[in-house]
């Protein structure tokens, strides 16, 4: 028996005898001929079973095949221009591993709740394959981007003794005698590591107990966060720009087929070239007000504001220098305008909203100490973080990108729930 | 002013004017000449300040430089065979960003507790640099190994509604109206994904609330877990073998310098070639008893047993077919000897103990259902997991490797606490 091959490598086996192991996507019987669409996770292939050339028992057993039944088939690969992938398989033997019960997910409309309850099976659809393979490509692109630029990977802790941005949205757990909070960001630890390694990134799951039920929120999401010593706001704006361009280029280069399955308008992605437009928060507010928004200077942007702003462009929009009052305690102030924070958000085009947030961190000890006091944060808990300003402090900056939002944007999805294998949402902890 | 360069690329700048930004590792003053060792996270360089050729003020300011002070220097790179890295810098200008307070960590013996309390600063030592750069290389090698073999990355959830291996060692958190447990493994979700994609892997943090204070345990550790459809025990033993060989080869090829810093005996790593020895649990017990161990057939191995067993070899040892009674509910039984589980552990050489555990999973619905009942596990909670056996079930197998134990072994460390940037141990949640 020939050894099993991957359907992704089918073109290497034209006119050869092969074994294929996979699942039945579709089955049609036309009397003396049966047509199977087989998927193996790497691709799909149409297989033809002909009564005339097969064992009668096997041909008969195959006639009962149901969607998602698991099979092993042997046969000959044949190039055929009419076949979807350019090849077909003439089956000589079929072995049925398991005849699947009637599959719950059919090619018809199901409710979102039903699909989410069956997420473990929904993952088998072409659409979910396309999304999760693009997710994989994006994750790999992120890591390659930083690895190629000498950033050191620093896996920051999930269990943390103190909260970075307020405790109301934190998940907590009993950690033996103490309480631990699940990290919302690895940034503070990234800062410590940047003082050791110069350029670092962390990349892991983060947790936010926000009671939001929107198409952009998950309770558990993955974030990649570079942090760079000797860098200022302008440096990380450039870094974020190069980063997004590289990721989109990589997906365009490697995942054309998946983008096609998702019917993604790739011209929208091809437009993602440097430079990205940059506007200050003040300019952005003025534009929004002119466009009819009720936003007041000093307010944070709502989702609608973000959409309104980014709709003016075909590229990601960098908004910088927000009021310090609405931003986190660790942000460096603009020396020219101390009420502004040296920070930025990157808003994805097509209404996908914020996908990157970052900026320059305070590097002066006294300034940071005052800021902790203003924010009623425990000096003792932040002792180690203050230490970074006592021993060779340098200007430094970084950002974080939420992977699920980036995947939603690049794939062109309505909701982040499909961007991660098993999404965790407000009332969704199963499967 | 020339733009800043990385010390890792110094050989490209011989006889050139450069700017270097970094921290002072060492400073010696000899009257009219000062010697600085500068680190920038990518490497180290000796810099020479000469009173005769420098601005007097700058020379004087430099004479007060302390360990870990942050600086920007400009000067000319000069090849010198006597210099540690083969190059030196003749400094023309120095700008001190911050004069560090007396650095707590000195080149002398500190207690482990003291170093762990200062982990955010300890990360700056050459030894910690070497370990964490090797960790980065290992993580990258793991991902490359699976990416190159068409495995799809599947980021499995951290929040899970049910426990995979008993609840006593689980961290839990309030998840709105429900209780969520932090994942100890992504395996069950990996199985669902393997039925969708054929070959998958997950790679993320996992959590175990074990009250163990040993040199091999962390509460929070990273694990990489491949899962393969249409695979049996023998297949994943081979996969684990190829995987470990590739990782060790990669570190040997790319991290010689770091291994040297750690004074690692690389001949021990060069010996990691296929095939690895394989013994059954029964053979292993017989050998242990012969060697004087009090182990009884049916007992699990203790750390000492693992060391005793692996000391016979210079390669990782694969122990397979443990008694089903001491293994998890989902393990496939050996058809020839149903009281044995089709599972394996890989024990690292040099007494590093188990670094990989895995095996073949039950693929028959009825068998799995009985096993859940025997283990008093809720059928309802495992409904989705049972579903995988109803819709195109196939033999499948996988394994998990703990990254920190692999790093400890490859680096030759006494304790896992140094293998992760911010270790979480029994009484260690800070910094």
């Amino acid at each position: 028996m020939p050894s099993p091959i991957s359907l992704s490598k089918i073109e290497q086996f034209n006119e050869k005898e092969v074994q294929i192991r996979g699942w039945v996507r579709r089955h049609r019987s036309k009397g003396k001929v049966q047509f199977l669409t087989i998927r193996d996770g790497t691709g799909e292939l149409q297989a033809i079973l002909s009564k005339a050339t097969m064992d009668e028992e096997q041909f008969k057993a195959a006639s009962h095949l149901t969607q998602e039944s698991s099979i092993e088939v042997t046969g000959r690969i044949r190039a055929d221009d009419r076949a979807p992938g350019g090849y077909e398989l003439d089956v000589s033997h079929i072995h049925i591993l398991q005849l699947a019960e009637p599959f719950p997910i059919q090619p018809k409309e199901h409710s979102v709740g039903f699909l989410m309850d069956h997420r473990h099976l929904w993952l088998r659809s072409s659409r979910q394959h396309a999304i999760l393979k693009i997710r994989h490509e994006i994750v790999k692109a992120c890591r390659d981007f930083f690895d190629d630029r000498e950033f050191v990977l620093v896996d920051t802790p999930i269990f943390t003794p103190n909260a970075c941005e307020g405790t109301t949205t934190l998940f907590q757990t009993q950690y033996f005698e103490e309480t631990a909070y699940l990290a919302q960001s690895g940034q503070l630890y990234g800062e410590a590591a940047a003082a050791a390694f110069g350029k670092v990134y962390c990349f892991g799951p983060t947790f936010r107990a926000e009671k939001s039920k929107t198409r952009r929120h998950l309770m558990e999401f993955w974030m990649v966060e570079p942090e760079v010593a000797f860098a200022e706001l302008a440096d990380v704006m450039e870094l974020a720009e190069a980063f997004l361009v590289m990721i989109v280029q990589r997906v365009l280069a490697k995942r054309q087929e998946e983008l096609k399955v998702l019917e993604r308008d790739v011209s929208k992605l091809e437009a993602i070239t440097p430079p990205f437009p940059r506007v200050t928060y003040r300019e952005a507010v003025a534009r929004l007000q002119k466009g009819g928004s009720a936003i007041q200077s000093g307010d944070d942007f709502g989702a609608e504001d973000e959409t309104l702003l980014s709709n003016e462009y075909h590229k990601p929009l960098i908004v910088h220098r927000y009021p310090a009052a609405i931003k986190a305690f660790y942000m460096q102030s603009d020396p020219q305008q101390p009420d502004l924070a040296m920070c930025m958000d990157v808003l994805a085009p097509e209404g996908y909203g914020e996908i990157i947030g970052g900026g320059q961190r305070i590097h002066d000890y006294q300034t940071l100490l005052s800021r902790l006091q203003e924010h009623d944060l425990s000096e003792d808990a932040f002792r180690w973080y203050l230490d970074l300003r006592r021993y060779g402090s340098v200007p430094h900056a970084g950002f974080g990108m939420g992977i699920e939002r980036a995947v939603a944007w690049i794939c062109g999805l309505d909701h982040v729930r499909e961007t991660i294998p098993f999404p965790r949402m407000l009332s969704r902890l199963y499967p």
Side-chain angles (χ1 to χ4, degrees), chain A:
Chain A
M1 189 140 69
S3 38
I5 65 157
S6 267
L7 291 181
S8 61
K9 302 202 158 48
I10 195 107
E11 71 282 359
Q12 301 171 12
F13 296 92
N14 191 24
E15 301 295 336
K16 295 217 167 69
E17 280 283 309
V18 298
Q19 190 201 141
I20 290 162
R21 309 190 290 194
W23 294 266
V24 174
R25 213 187 274 282
R26 276 180 297 277
H27 177 250
R28 275 184 306 139
S29 204
K30 288 201 166 181
K32 294 183 176 169
V33 185
Q34 298 178 43
F35 300 91
L36 287 182
T37 306
I38 304 173
R39 66 166 189 88
D40 76 345
T42 73
E44 284 191 16
L45 179 69
Q46 176 153 283
I48 293 155
L49 286 74
S50 171
K51 193 170 179 177
T53 59
M54 275 186 72
D55 173 83
E56 205 179 313
E57 285 299 308
Q58 285 186 22
F59 186 84
K60 201 174 154 196
S63 71
H64 301 109
L65 277 172
T66 49
Q67 185 187 345
E68 286 301 319
S69 290
S70 44
I71 54 171
E72 280 175 5
V73 295
T74 314
R76 200 177 174 81
I77 298 288
R78 177 171 41 76
D80 187 326
D81 290 343
R82 294 163 306 172
Y87 296 91
E88 286 190 336
L89 179 76
D90 290 319
V91 175
S92 50
H93 296 277
I94 182 164
H95 171 57
I96 301 171
L97 279 94
Q98 196 221 15
L99 202 63
E101 297 180 28
F103 198 64
I105 302 174
Q106 293 296 320
K108 62 165 191 176
E109 282 288 312
H110 290 285
S111 74
V112 170
F114 180 86
L115 290 170
M116 294 295 280
D117 281 342
H118 293 86
R119 183 65 179 165
H120 53 295
L121 303 177
W122 189 22
L123 290 180
R124 303 182 186 187
S125 77
S126 313
R127 177 179 163 87
Q128 301 307 315
H129 272 219
I131 295 168
L132 292 176
K133 286 186 180 182
I134 291 173
R135 178 189 170 99
H136 185 177
E137 199 67 55
I138 290 172
V139 168
K140 191 166 157 54
C142 291
R143 292 183 178 267
D144 287 349
F145 181 88
F146 293 116
D147 291 347
D148 291 348
R149 280 165 182 75
E150 295 196 289
F151 283 65
V152 176
L153 171 68
V154 171
D155 293 312
T156 52
I158 305 298
F159 289 141
T160 59
N162 49 261
C164 175
E165 302 182 44
T167 58
T168 51
T169 59
L170 285 173
F171 287 103
Q172 63 177 66
T173 189
Q174 192 63 30
Y175 189 85
F176 308 103
E177 312 304 310
E178 297 172 78
T179 300
Y181 300 94
L182 304 192
Q184 289 191 331
S185 159
Q187 179 205 314
L188 306 197
Y189 293 97
E191 290 181 56
F197 295 101
K199 295 186 284 187
V200 301
Y201 70 102
C202 62
F203 196 161
T206 52
F207 306 88
R208 211 159 284 201
E210 264 183 278
K211 282 210 165 176
S212 335
K213 218 171 175 171
T214 82
R215 60 193 184 85
R216 292 182 188 172
H217 285 88
L218 293 169
M219 302 304 143
E220 181 184 326
F221 58 100
W222 284 66
M223 191 142 70
V224 56
E225 296 174 87
E227 189 71 32
V228 187
F230 300 98
E232 301 185 356
L233 175 60
D235 300 310
V236 288
M237 293 205 289
E238 257 177 60
L239 188 71
E241 183 179 89
F243 178 61
L244 287 176
V245 168
M246 184 272 201
I247 293 168
V248 171
Q249 287 302 320
R250 178 73 74 86
V251 172
L252 281 170
K254 301 240 187 180
R255 295 292 169 188
Q256 278 294 339
E257 208 176 304
E258 285 78 9
L259 291 168
K260 209 172 287 168
V261 169
L262 299 173
E263 298 175 355
R264 181 66 169 120
D265 179 352
V266 291
S267 72
K268 294 268 203 312
L269 298 177
E270 285 159 356
I272 310 306
T273 53
F276 295 169
R278 287 153 164 79
V279 300
T280 65
Y281 168 85
R282 278 188 194 156
E283 290 163 357
V285 168
R287 277 194 215 180
L288 285 172
Q289 288 173 336
K290 216 168 153 188
S293 166
I295 194 168
Q296 296 296 313
S297 186
D299 291 353
D300 211 346
F301 299 133
E304 277 179 38
D305 295 320
E306 289 183 355
T307 303
L308 212 60
L309 276 172
S310 61
N311 274 350
E312 293 181 41
Y313 306 93
H314 298 296
K315 297 183 183 190
L317 171 67
I318 305 180
V319 184
H320 58 97
R321 290 179 171 75
Y322 287 69
I326 57 169
K327 289 290 176 180
F329 74 91
Y330 49 70
M331 289 198 182
Q332 178 79 15
S333 290
D334 187 338
Q336 263 80 54
Q337 309 164 76
D339 58 325
L340 299 185
M342 295 289 274
C343 68
M344 59 142 183
D345 281 352
V346 183
L347 310 182
E350 304 174 65
Y352 281 94
E354 185 204 327
I355 47 167
I356 282 180
Q360 192 173 335
R361 331 302 187 181
I362 293 169
H363 63 274
D364 177 66
Y365 180 85
Q366 282 304 334
T367 312
L368 182 60
L369 187 61
S370 318
R371 210 64 82 74
L372 285 171
Q373 288 160 352
E374 283 162 33
H375 283 76
D376 268 331
L377 291 164
S378 148
E379 194 181 321
D380 195 51
F382 286 94
R383 192 162 24 96
W384 68 270
Y385 188 63
L386 282 160
D387 271 0
L388 306 178
R389 281 73 184 169
R390 297 170 63 200
Y391 306 107
S393 192
V394 299
H396 61 287
F399 63 80
M401 182 178 83
I403 294 303
E404 287 73 18
R405 288 188 183 180
V407 174
W409 161 49
I410 292 172
C411 289
L413 309 179
D414 285 343
H415 197 293
V416 289
R417 67 181 158 234
E418 290 178 77
T419 61
I420 188 166
F422 295 92
R424 294 298 179 242
M425 300 184 295
L426 198 52
S427 42
R428 170 62 57 191
L429 191 53
Y430 176 94

